[in-house]
Amino acid sequence: QSVDAIVGAGRVLLSTAGPFLQYGRPVVDACVRLGTDYVDITGETPFVRATMDEYGQAARERGVFVIPMCGYERGRSKELRAFASWLVRTRRPQT
């Protein structure tokens, strides 16, 4: 219930708290159910695989972006954050 309240309060959720395998699933679940885009900084590839396997189709059907690993490597994180930001701005109507 508290996860839903936090997730439902915005358009995009940035997750920086791990370990993601332990704490991330309820957050991604709430994002997909409530239509909130999800971005994280995980480096846990098993979490990324499990997340895409479990929520990828539902996220696509609902038009929700699930974008993991945006801060894993410093060299690419700026570009990934910029791309994620552009993607959300251009694919979502402004409210």
Coordinates of all heavy atoms in Angstrom, one line a residue:
Q1 N 0.8 -1.2 0.0 CA 0.0 0.0 0.0 C 0.9 1.3 0.0 O 0.6 2.2 -0.8 CB -0.9 0.0 1.2 CG -2.0 1.1 1.2 CD -2.9 1.0 2.3 OE1 -2.6 0.4 3.4 NE2 -4.1 1.5 2.2
S2 N 1.9 1.3 0.8 CA 2.8 2.5 0.8 C 3.6 2.6 -0.4 O 3.8 3.7 -0.9 CB 3.7 2.5 2.1 OG 4.5 1.3 2.0
V3 N 4.0 1.5 -1.1 CA 4.7 1.5 -2.3 C 3.7 2.1 -3.4 O 4.2 3.0 -4.2 CB 5.2 0.1 -2.8 CG1 5.8 0.2 -4.2 CG2 6.2 -0.4 -1.8
D4 N 2.5 1.7 -3.4 CA 1.5 2.2 -4.4 C 1.4 3.7 -4.2 O 1.2 4.5 -5.2 CB 0.2 1.6 -4.3 CG 0.1 0.2 -4.9 OD1 1.2 -0.3 -5.4 OD2 -0.9 -0.4 -4.9
A5 N 1.3 4.2 -3.0 CA 1.1 5.6 -2.7 C 2.3 6.5 -3.3 O 2.1 7.5 -3.9 CB 1.0 5.9 -1.2
I6 N 3.5 6.0 -3.1 CA 4.7 6.7 -3.6 C 4.7 6.6 -5.1 O 4.9 7.6 -5.8 CB 6.0 6.1 -3.0 CG1 6.0 6.4 -1.5 CG2 7.2 6.6 -3.7 CD1 7.1 5.6 -0.7
V7 N 4.6 5.4 -5.7 CA 4.6 5.3 -7.1 C 3.5 6.1 -7.8 O 3.8 6.7 -8.8 CB 4.5 3.8 -7.5 CG1 4.3 3.6 -9.0 CG2 5.8 3.0 -7.0
G8 N 2.3 6.1 -7.3 CA 1.2 6.8 -7.9 C 1.3 8.3 -7.8 O 0.5 9.0 -8.4
A9 N 2.2 8.8 -7.0 CA 2.3 10.2 -6.8 C 3.1 11.0 -8.0 O 3.0 12.2 -8.0 CB 3.0 10.5 -5.5
G10 N 3.7 10.2 -8.9 CA 4.4 10.9 -9.9 C 4.3 10.2 -11.3 O 3.6 9.2 -11.4
R11 N 5.0 10.7 -12.3 CA 5.0 10.1 -13.6 C 6.1 9.2 -13.8 O 6.1 8.3 -14.7 CB 5.0 11.2 -14.7 CG 3.7 12.0 -14.7 CD 3.8 13.1 -15.8 NE 4.3 12.7 -17.1 CZ 4.9 13.4 -17.9 NH1 5.1 14.7 -17.7 NH2 5.4 12.9 -19.1
V12 N 7.3 9.5 -13.1 CA 8.5 8.6 -13.3 C 9.0 8.4 -11.9 O 9.1 9.3 -11.1 CB 9.5 9.4 -14.1 CG1 10.8 8.5 -14.2 CG2 9.0 9.7 -15.5
L13 N 9.4 7.1 -11.7 CA 10.1 6.8 -10.4 C 11.5 6.4 -10.7 O 11.8 5.6 -11.6 CB 9.4 5.6 -9.8 CG 10.0 5.2 -8.4 CD1 8.9 5.3 -7.3 CD2 10.7 3.9 -8.4
L14 N 12.4 7.0 -10.0 CA 13.9 6.7 -10.1 C 14.2 5.9 -8.8 O 14.2 6.4 -7.7 CB 14.7 8.0 -10.1 CG 14.4 9.0 -11.3 CD1 15.1 10.3 -11.1 CD2 14.6 8.3 -12.6
S15 N 14.7 4.7 -9.0 CA 15.0 3.8 -7.9 C 16.5 3.7 -7.8 O 17.2 3.3 -8.7 CB 14.4 2.4 -8.1 OG 14.7 1.6 -7.0
T16 N 17.0 4.0 -6.6 CA 18.4 3.9 -6.3 C 18.7 3.0 -5.1 O 19.8 3.0 -4.7 CB 19.0 5.3 -6.0 OG1 18.3 5.9 -4.9 CG2 18.8 6.3 -7.2
A17 N 17.7 2.4 -4.6 CA 17.9 1.5 -3.4 C 17.9 0.1 -3.7 O 16.9 -0.5 -4.2 CB 16.8 1.9 -2.3
G18 N 19.0 -0.6 -3.4 CA 19.1 -2.0 -3.6 C 19.4 -2.7 -2.2 O 19.3 -2.0 -1.2
P19 N 19.6 -3.9 -2.3 CA 19.7 -4.8 -3.4 C 18.4 -4.9 -4.2 O 17.4 -5.2 -3.6 CB 20.3 -6.1 -2.9 CG 19.9 -6.1 -1.5 CD 19.8 -4.7 -1.0
F20 N 18.5 -4.8 -5.5 CA 17.3 -4.8 -6.3 C 16.6 -6.1 -6.3 O 15.3 -6.2 -6.3 CB 17.6 -4.3 -7.7 CG 17.9 -2.8 -7.7 CD1 19.2 -2.3 -7.5 CD2 16.9 -1.9 -7.9 CE1 19.4 -1.0 -7.6 CE2 17.1 -0.5 -8.0 CZ 18.4 -0.1 -7.8
L21 N 17.3 -7.2 -6.3 CA 16.7 -8.5 -6.2 C 15.8 -8.7 -5.0 O 14.8 -9.4 -5.0 CB 17.7 -9.6 -6.2 CG 18.2 -10.0 -7.6 CD1 19.4 -10.9 -7.5 CD2 17.1 -10.7 -8.4
Q22 N 16.2 -8.0 -3.9 CA 15.5 -8.1 -2.7 C 14.3 -7.1 -2.6 O 13.3 -7.4 -2.1 CB 16.4 -7.9 -1.5 CG 15.8 -8.1 -0.1 CD 16.8 -8.0 1.0 OE1 18.0 -7.9 0.8 NE2 16.3 -8.0 2.2
Y23 N 14.5 -5.9 -3.1 CA 13.6 -4.8 -2.9 C 12.9 -4.3 -4.1 O 11.9 -3.5 -4.0 CB 14.3 -3.6 -2.2 CG 14.8 -3.9 -0.8 CD1 16.2 -3.9 -0.6 CD2 14.0 -4.3 0.2 CE1 16.8 -4.2 0.6 CE2 14.5 -4.6 1.5 CZ 15.9 -4.5 1.7 OH 16.4 -4.8 2.9
G24 N 13.4 -4.6 -5.3 CA 12.9 -4.0 -6.5 C 11.6 -4.4 -7.1 O 10.9 -3.7 -7.7
R25 N 11.3 -5.7 -6.9 CA 10.1 -6.3 -7.6 C 8.8 -5.6 -7.2 O 8.0 -5.2 -8.1 CB 10.0 -7.8 -7.3 CG 8.9 -8.4 -8.0 CD 8.7 -9.9 -7.7 NE 7.6 -10.5 -8.3 CZ 6.3 -10.3 -7.9 NH1 6.0 -9.6 -6.9 NH2 5.3 -10.8 -8.6
P26 N 8.5 -5.3 -6.0 CA 7.3 -4.6 -5.6 C 7.2 -3.2 -6.2 O 6.1 -2.7 -6.6 CB 7.3 -4.5 -4.1 CG 8.2 -5.5 -3.6 CD 9.2 -5.7 -4.7
V27 N 8.3 -2.6 -6.4 CA 8.3 -1.2 -7.0 C 8.0 -1.3 -8.5 O 7.2 -0.5 -9.0 CB 9.7 -0.5 -6.7 CG1 9.8 0.8 -7.4 CG2 10.0 -0.4 -5.2
V28 N 8.7 -2.2 -9.2 CA 8.4 -2.4 -10.6 C 6.9 -2.8 -10.8 O 6.2 -2.3 -11.7 CB 9.3 -3.4 -11.3 CG1 9.0 -3.6 -12.7 CG2 10.8 -2.9 -11.2
D29 N 6.5 -3.7 -10.0 CA 5.1 -4.2 -10.1 C 4.1 -3.0 -10.0 O 3.2 -2.8 -10.8 CB 4.8 -5.2 -9.0 CG 3.4 -5.7 -9.0 OD1 3.1 -6.6 -9.9 OD2 2.6 -5.2 -8.2
A30 N 4.3 -2.1 -9.0 CA 3.5 -1.0 -8.8 C 3.5 0.0 -9.9 O 2.5 0.5 -10.4 CB 3.8 -0.3 -7.5
C31 N 4.7 0.2 -10.5 CA 4.9 1.1 -11.6 C 4.1 0.6 -12.8 O 3.4 1.4 -13.4 CB 6.4 1.3 -12.0 SG 7.3 2.3 -10.8
V32 N 4.2 -0.7 -13.1 CA 3.5 -1.2 -14.3 C 2.0 -1.1 -14.0 O 1.2 -0.7 -14.9 CB 4.0 -2.6 -14.6 CG1 3.1 -3.3 -15.6 CG2 5.4 -2.6 -15.0
R33 N 1.5 -1.5 -12.9 CA 0.1 -1.5 -12.6 C -0.5 -0.1 -12.6 O -1.6 0.2 -13.1 CB -0.2 -2.1 -11.2 CG -0.2 -3.6 -11.1 CD -0.6 -4.1 -9.8 NE 0.3 -3.7 -8.7 CZ 0.0 -2.8 -7.8 NH1 -1.1 -2.1 -7.8 NH2 0.9 -2.5 -6.8
L34 N 0.3 0.9 -12.1 CA -0.2 2.3 -12.0 C 0.2 3.2 -13.1 O -0.2 4.4 -13.1 CB 0.3 2.9 -10.6 CG -0.2 2.1 -9.4 CD1 0.5 2.7 -8.1 CD2 -1.7 2.1 -9.3
G35 N 0.9 2.7 -14.1 CA 1.3 3.5 -15.3 C 2.4 4.5 -15.0 O 2.4 5.6 -15.7
T36 N 3.3 4.3 -14.1 CA 4.4 5.2 -13.8 C 5.7 4.6 -14.4 O 6.0 3.4 -14.2 CB 4.6 5.3 -12.2 OG1 3.3 5.8 -11.7 CG2 5.7 6.2 -11.9
D37 N 6.4 5.4 -15.2 CA 7.6 5.0 -15.7 C 8.7 4.7 -14.7 O 8.7 5.4 -13.6 CB 8.2 6.0 -16.7 CG 7.2 6.2 -17.9 OD1 6.7 5.2 -18.4 OD2 7.1 7.3 -18.4
Y38 N 9.5 3.7 -14.9 CA 10.5 3.2 -13.9 C 11.9 3.3 -14.5 O 12.1 2.8 -15.6 CB 10.1 1.8 -13.5 CG 11.2 1.1 -12.6 CD1 11.1 1.2 -11.3 CD2 12.2 0.4 -13.2 CE1 12.0 0.6 -10.4 CE2 13.2 -0.2 -12.4 CZ 13.1 -0.1 -11.0 OH 14.0 -0.7 -10.2
V39 N 12.8 3.9 -13.7 CA 14.2 4.0 -14.1 C 15.0 3.6 -12.8 O 14.7 4.1 -11.7 CB 14.6 5.4 -14.5 CG1 16.1 5.5 -14.9 CG2 13.8 5.8 -15.7
D40 N 16.1 2.7 -13.0 CA 16.9 2.4 -11.8 C 18.4 2.4 -12.2 O 18.8 2.6 -13.3 CB 16.5 1.1 -11.2 CG 16.8 -0.1 -12.0 OD1 17.9 -0.1 -12.7 OD2 16.1 -1.1 -11.9
I41 N 19.2 2.2 -11.1 CA 20.6 2.2 -11.3 C 21.3 0.9 -11.0 O 22.4 0.8 -10.8 CB 21.3 3.3 -10.3 CG1 21.0 2.9 -8.9 CG2 20.8 4.7 -10.7 CD1 21.9 3.6 -7.9
T42 N 20.5 -0.2 -11.1 CA 21.0 -1.5 -10.7 C 22.1 -1.9 -11.6 O 22.2 -1.5 -12.8 CB 19.8 -2.6 -10.8 OG1 20.3 -3.8 -10.3 CG2 19.3 -2.8 -12.2
G43 N 22.9 -2.8 -11.1 CA 23.9 -3.5 -11.9 C 23.7 -5.0 -11.8 O 24.5 -5.8 -12.2
E44 N 22.5 -5.4 -11.2 CA 22.2 -6.8 -11.0 C 21.5 -7.4 -12.2 O 20.3 -7.2 -12.3 CB 21.3 -6.9 -9.7 CG 21.9 -6.3 -8.5 CD 20.9 -6.2 -7.3 OE1 20.0 -7.1 -7.2 OE2 21.0 -5.2 -6.6
T45 N 22.2 -8.0 -13.0 CA 21.7 -8.5 -14.3 C 20.6 -9.6 -14.0 O 19.6 -9.7 -14.8 CB 22.7 -9.1 -15.2 OG1 23.6 -10.0 -14.5 CG2 23.6 -8.0 -15.8
P46 N 20.6 -10.4 -12.9 CA 19.5 -11.3 -12.7 C 18.2 -10.6 -12.4 O 17.1 -11.0 -12.8 CB 20.0 -12.1 -11.5 CG 21.5 -12.1 -11.5 CD 21.8 -10.7 -12.0
F47 N 18.3 -9.4 -11.7 CA 17.1 -8.6 -11.5 C 16.6 -8.1 -12.8 O 15.4 -8.1 -13.1 CB 17.4 -7.5 -10.5 CG 16.3 -6.5 -10.4 CD1 15.2 -6.8 -9.7 CD2 16.4 -5.2 -11.1 CE1 14.1 -5.9 -9.6 CE2 15.4 -4.3 -11.0 CZ 14.2 -4.6 -10.2
V48 N 17.5 -7.6 -13.7 CA 17.0 -7.0 -15.0 C 16.3 -8.1 -15.8 O 15.2 -7.9 -16.3 CB 18.2 -6.4 -15.7 CG1 17.8 -6.0 -17.1 CG2 18.8 -5.3 -15.0
R49 N 16.9 -9.3 -15.8 CA 16.3 -10.4 -16.6 C 14.9 -10.8 -16.0 O 13.9 -10.9 -16.8 CB 17.2 -11.6 -16.6 CG 16.7 -12.8 -17.3 CD 16.4 -12.4 -18.8 NE 15.7 -13.5 -19.4 CZ 16.1 -14.1 -20.5 NH1 17.3 -13.8 -21.0 NH2 15.4 -15.1 -21.0
A50 N 14.9 -10.9 -14.7 CA 13.6 -11.3 -14.1 C 12.5 -10.3 -14.3 O 11.4 -10.6 -14.5 CB 13.8 -11.6 -12.6
T51 N 12.9 -9.0 -14.2 CA 12.0 -7.9 -14.4 C 11.4 -7.9 -15.8 O 10.2 -7.7 -16.0 CB 12.7 -6.5 -14.1 OG1 13.1 -6.6 -12.7 CG2 11.8 -5.4 -14.3
M52 N 12.3 -8.0 -16.8 CA 11.9 -8.0 -18.2 C 11.0 -9.2 -18.5 O 10.0 -9.1 -19.2 CB 13.0 -7.9 -19.1 CG 13.8 -6.6 -19.1 SD 12.7 -5.2 -19.4 CE 12.9 -4.2 -18.0
D53 N 11.4 -10.4 -17.9 CA 10.6 -11.6 -18.2 C 9.2 -11.4 -17.5 O 8.2 -11.8 -18.2 CB 11.3 -12.8 -17.6 CG 12.5 -13.3 -18.4 OD1 12.7 -12.8 -19.5 OD2 13.3 -14.1 -17.9
E54 N 9.1 -10.9 -16.3 CA 7.9 -10.9 -15.6 C 7.0 -9.7 -16.0 O 5.8 -9.8 -16.1 CB 8.1 -10.8 -14.1 CG 6.9 -10.9 -13.3 CD 7.1 -11.2 -11.8 OE1 8.3 -11.4 -11.4 OE2 6.1 -11.1 -11.1
Y55 N 7.6 -8.5 -16.3 CA 6.8 -7.3 -16.5 C 6.9 -6.7 -17.9 O 6.2 -5.7 -18.2 CB 7.2 -6.2 -15.5 CG 6.9 -6.7 -14.1 CD1 7.9 -7.1 -13.2 CD2 5.6 -6.7 -13.6 CE1 7.6 -7.5 -11.9 CE2 5.3 -7.1 -12.3 CZ 6.3 -7.5 -11.5 OH 6.0 -7.9 -10.2
G56 N 7.8 -7.2 -18.7 CA 8.1 -6.6 -20.0 C 6.8 -6.5 -20.9 O 6.5 -5.4 -21.4
Q57 N 6.1 -7.5 -21.0 CA 4.9 -7.5 -21.9 C 3.8 -6.6 -21.3 O 3.2 -5.8 -22.0 CB 4.3 -8.9 -22.0 CG 3.1 -9.0 -23.0 CD 3.4 -8.6 -24.4 OE1 4.5 -8.9 -24.9 NE2 2.5 -8.0 -25.1
A58 N 3.5 -6.7 -20.0 CA 2.5 -5.8 -19.4 C 2.9 -4.3 -19.5 O 2.1 -3.5 -19.8 CB 2.3 -6.2 -17.9
A59 N 4.2 -4.1 -19.3 CA 4.7 -2.7 -19.5 C 4.5 -2.2 -20.9 O 4.0 -1.0 -21.1 CB 6.2 -2.6 -19.1
R60 N 4.8 -3.0 -21.9 CA 4.6 -2.6 -23.3 C 3.1 -2.3 -23.5 O 2.7 -1.3 -24.2 CB 5.1 -3.6 -24.2 CG 6.6 -3.6 -24.4 CD 7.1 -4.5 -25.5 NE 6.9 -5.9 -25.2 CZ 7.7 -6.6 -24.4 NH1 8.7 -6.1 -23.9 NH2 7.4 -7.9 -24.2
E61 N 2.2 -3.2 -23.1 CA 0.8 -3.1 -23.3 C 0.2 -1.8 -22.6 O -0.7 -1.2 -23.2 CB 0.1 -4.3 -22.8 CG 0.3 -5.6 -23.6 CD -0.2 -6.8 -22.9 OE1 -0.8 -6.7 -21.8 OE2 0.0 -7.9 -23.5
R62 N 0.8 -1.4 -21.5 CA 0.3 -0.2 -20.8 C 1.0 1.0 -21.2 O 0.7 2.1 -20.6 CB 0.4 -0.5 -19.3 CG -0.6 -1.6 -18.8 CD -0.4 -1.8 -17.3 NE -1.4 -2.7 -16.8 CZ -1.3 -4.0 -16.7 NH1 -0.2 -4.6 -17.2 NH2 -2.3 -4.8 -16.3
G63 N 2.1 0.9 -22.0 CA 2.8 2.1 -22.4 C 3.7 2.6 -21.3 O 4.0 3.8 -21.2
V64 N 4.2 1.7 -20.4 CA 5.0 2.1 -19.3 C 6.5 1.8 -19.6 O 6.8 0.7 -20.1 CB 4.6 1.3 -18.0 CG1 5.6 1.6 -16.9 CG2 3.2 1.7 -17.6
F65 N 7.4 2.7 -19.4 CA 8.8 2.5 -19.7 C 9.4 1.9 -18.4 O 9.2 2.4 -17.3 CB 9.5 3.8 -20.0 CG 9.1 4.4 -21.3 CD1 8.3 5.5 -21.3 CD2 9.5 3.8 -22.5 CE1 7.9 6.0 -22.5 CE2 9.1 4.4 -23.7 CZ 8.3 5.5 -23.7
V66 N 10.1 0.7 -18.6 CA 10.9 0.1 -17.5 C 12.3 0.1 -18.0 O 12.7 -0.6 -18.9 CB 10.4 -1.3 -17.2 CG1 11.3 -2.0 -16.1 CG2 8.9 -1.3 -16.7
I67 N 13.1 1.0 -17.4 CA 14.5 1.3 -17.9 C 15.5 1.0 -16.8 O 15.8 1.9 -16.0 CB 14.6 2.7 -18.4 CG1 13.5 3.0 -19.4 CG2 16.0 2.9 -19.0 CD1 13.4 4.4 -19.9
P68 N 16.0 -0.2 -16.7 CA 17.0 -0.5 -15.7 C 18.4 -0.1 -16.1 O 18.7 0.2 -17.2 CB 16.9 -2.0 -15.5 CG 16.5 -2.5 -16.8 CD 15.6 -1.4 -17.4
M69 N 19.4 -0.2 -15.1 CA 20.8 0.0 -15.3 C 21.2 1.4 -15.9 O 22.2 1.5 -16.6 CB 21.3 -1.1 -16.3 CG 21.1 -2.5 -15.7 SD 21.8 -3.8 -16.7 CE 23.4 -4.0 -15.8
C70 N 20.5 2.4 -15.5 CA 20.8 3.8 -16.0 C 22.0 4.4 -15.2 O 22.4 5.5 -15.6 CB 19.6 4.7 -16.0 SG 18.6 4.4 -17.4
G71 N 22.5 3.8 -14.2 CA 23.6 4.4 -13.5 C 24.7 3.4 -13.2 O 25.6 3.7 -12.4
Y72 N 24.6 2.3 -13.8 CA 25.6 1.2 -13.5 C 27.0 1.5 -13.9 O 27.9 1.3 -13.2 CB 25.1 -0.1 -14.2 CG 26.0 -1.3 -13.9 CD1 26.2 -1.7 -12.6 CD2 26.6 -1.9 -15.0 CE1 27.1 -2.7 -12.4 CE2 27.5 -3.0 -14.7 CZ 27.7 -3.4 -13.4 OH 28.5 -4.4 -13.2
E73 N 27.2 2.1 -15.1 CA 28.5 2.5 -15.6 C 28.5 4.0 -15.7 O 27.7 4.5 -16.5 CB 28.8 1.8 -16.9 CG 29.0 0.3 -16.8 CD 29.6 -0.3 -18.1 OE1 30.3 0.4 -18.8 OE2 29.2 -1.4 -18.4
R74 N 29.4 4.6 -15.0 CA 29.4 6.1 -15.1 C 29.6 6.6 -16.5 O 29.0 7.6 -16.8 CB 30.5 6.6 -14.2 CG 30.1 6.7 -12.8 CD 31.1 7.5 -12.0 NE 32.4 6.8 -12.0 CZ 33.5 7.4 -11.6 NH1 33.5 8.7 -11.2 NH2 34.6 6.8 -11.7
G75 N 30.3 6.0 -17.3 CA 30.6 6.5 -18.6 C 29.4 6.6 -19.5 O 29.2 7.4 -20.4
R76 N 28.4 5.7 -19.3 CA 27.2 5.7 -20.1 C 26.0 6.2 -19.4 O 25.0 6.5 -20.0 CB 26.9 4.2 -20.5 CG 27.9 3.6 -21.4 CD 27.4 2.3 -21.8 NE 28.6 1.5 -22.1 CZ 28.6 0.2 -22.2 NH1 27.5 -0.5 -21.9 NH2 29.7 -0.5 -22.4
S77 N 26.1 6.5 -18.1 CA 24.9 6.8 -17.3 C 24.3 8.2 -17.8 O 23.1 8.3 -17.8 CB 25.2 6.8 -15.8 OG 26.1 7.8 -15.5
K78 N 25.1 9.1 -18.1 CA 24.6 10.4 -18.6 C 23.8 10.3 -19.9 O 22.8 10.8 -20.0 CB 25.7 11.4 -18.7 CG 26.3 11.9 -17.5 CD 27.4 13.0 -17.7 CE 28.0 13.4 -16.4 NZ 29.1 14.4 -16.6
E79 N 24.4 9.5 -20.8 CA 23.7 9.3 -22.0 C 22.4 8.5 -21.8 O 21.3 8.9 -22.4 CB 24.6 8.6 -23.0 CG 25.7 9.4 -23.5 CD 26.9 9.4 -22.6 OE1 26.9 8.6 -21.6 OE2 27.9 10.1 -22.8
L80 N 22.4 7.5 -21.0 CA 21.2 6.7 -20.8 C 20.1 7.6 -20.1 O 18.9 7.5 -20.4 CB 21.5 5.5 -19.9 CG 22.2 4.4 -20.6 CD1 22.7 3.3 -19.7 CD2 21.3 3.8 -21.7
R81 N 20.5 8.4 -19.1 CA 19.6 9.3 -18.4 C 19.0 10.3 -19.4 O 17.8 10.6 -19.4 CB 20.2 10.0 -17.2 CG 20.4 9.1 -16.0 CD 20.8 9.9 -14.8 NE 21.9 10.8 -15.0 CZ 23.2 10.5 -14.7 NH1 23.4 9.3 -14.2 NH2 24.1 11.3 -15.0
A82 N 19.8 10.9 -20.3 CA 19.3 11.8 -21.2 C 18.4 11.1 -22.2 O 17.3 11.7 -22.6 CB 20.5 12.4 -22.0
F83 N 18.7 9.9 -22.7 CA 17.8 9.2 -23.6 C 16.5 8.9 -22.9 O 15.4 9.1 -23.5 CB 18.5 7.9 -24.1 CG 17.6 7.1 -24.9 CD1 17.2 7.5 -26.2 CD2 17.1 5.9 -24.5 CE1 16.4 6.8 -27.0 CE2 16.3 5.1 -25.2 CZ 15.9 5.6 -26.5
A84 N 16.5 8.4 -21.7 CA 15.3 8.1 -20.9 C 14.5 9.3 -20.8 O 13.2 9.2 -20.9 CB 15.7 7.4 -19.6
S85 N 15.1 10.4 -20.4 CA 14.3 11.7 -20.3 C 13.7 12.1 -21.6 O 12.5 12.4 -21.6 CB 15.3 12.7 -19.8 OG 14.6 14.0 -19.7
W86 N 14.4 12.0 -22.7 CA 13.9 12.4 -24.0 C 12.7 11.5 -24.3 O 11.7 11.9 -24.8 CB 15.0 12.3 -25.0 CG 14.4 12.5 -26.4 CD1 14.2 13.6 -27.1 CD2 14.1 11.4 -27.3 NE1 13.7 13.4 -28.3 CE2 13.6 12.0 -28.5 CE3 14.1 10.0 -27.2 CZ2 13.2 11.3 -29.6 CZ3 13.7 9.3 -28.3 CH2 13.2 9.9 -29.5
L87 N 12.9 10.2 -24.1 CA 11.9 9.2 -24.5 C 10.6 9.4 -23.7 O 9.5 9.4 -24.3 CB 12.4 7.8 -24.1 CG 11.7 6.6 -24.8 CD1 11.7 6.7 -26.3 CD2 12.4 5.3 -24.3
V88 N 10.7 9.7 -22.4 CA 9.5 10.0 -21.6 C 8.8 11.2 -22.1 O 7.6 11.3 -22.3 CB 9.8 10.0 -20.1 CG1 8.7 10.5 -19.3 CG2 10.2 8.6 -19.7
R89 N 9.6 12.3 -22.3 CA 9.0 13.6 -22.8 C 8.4 13.5 -24.1 O 7.3 14.1 -24.3 CB 10.1 14.7 -22.8 CG 10.5 15.2 -21.5 CD 11.3 16.5 -21.6 NE 12.3 16.5 -22.7 CZ 13.5 16.1 -22.7 NH1 14.0 15.6 -21.6 NH2 14.3 16.1 -23.7
T90 N 9.0 12.8 -25.0 CA 8.4 12.7 -26.4 C 7.3 11.7 -26.6 O 6.5 11.9 -27.5 CB 9.5 12.5 -27.4 OG1 10.1 11.2 -27.2 CG2 10.5 13.6 -27.4
R91 N 7.2 10.7 -25.8 CA 6.2 9.7 -25.9 C 5.0 9.8 -25.0 O 4.1 9.1 -25.1 CB 6.8 8.3 -25.7 CG 8.0 7.9 -26.6 CD 7.7 7.2 -27.8 NE 6.8 6.1 -27.7 CZ 7.1 4.8 -27.6 NH1 8.4 4.4 -27.6 NH2 6.2 3.8 -27.5
R92 N 5.1 10.8 -24.1 CA 4.0 11.0 -23.1 C 3.5 12.4 -23.3 O 4.2 13.4 -23.4 CB 4.6 10.9 -21.7 CG 5.0 9.6 -21.3 CD 3.9 8.7 -20.9 NE 4.3 7.4 -20.5 CZ 3.7 6.7 -19.6 NH1 2.6 7.2 -19.1 NH2 4.1 5.6 -19.2
P93 N 2.2 12.6 -23.3 CA 1.6 13.9 -23.3 C 1.9 14.7 -22.0 O 2.0 14.1 -21.0 CB 0.1 13.6 -23.5 CG -0.1 12.2 -23.0 CD 1.2 11.5 -23.2
Q94 N 2.2 15.9 -22.2 CA 2.4 16.8 -21.0 C 1.1 17.1 -20.3 O 0.1 17.3 -20.9 CB 3.1 18.1 -21.4 CG 4.5 17.9 -22.1 CD 5.5 17.3 -21.1 OE1 5.5 17.6 -20.0 NE2 6.3 16.3 -21.6
T95 N 1.2 17.1 -19.0 CA 0.0 17.4 -18.2 C 0.3 18.6 -17.3 O 1.3 19.0 -17.1 CB -0.4 16.2 -17.3 OG1 0.7 15.8 -16.5 CG2 -0.8 15.0 -18.1

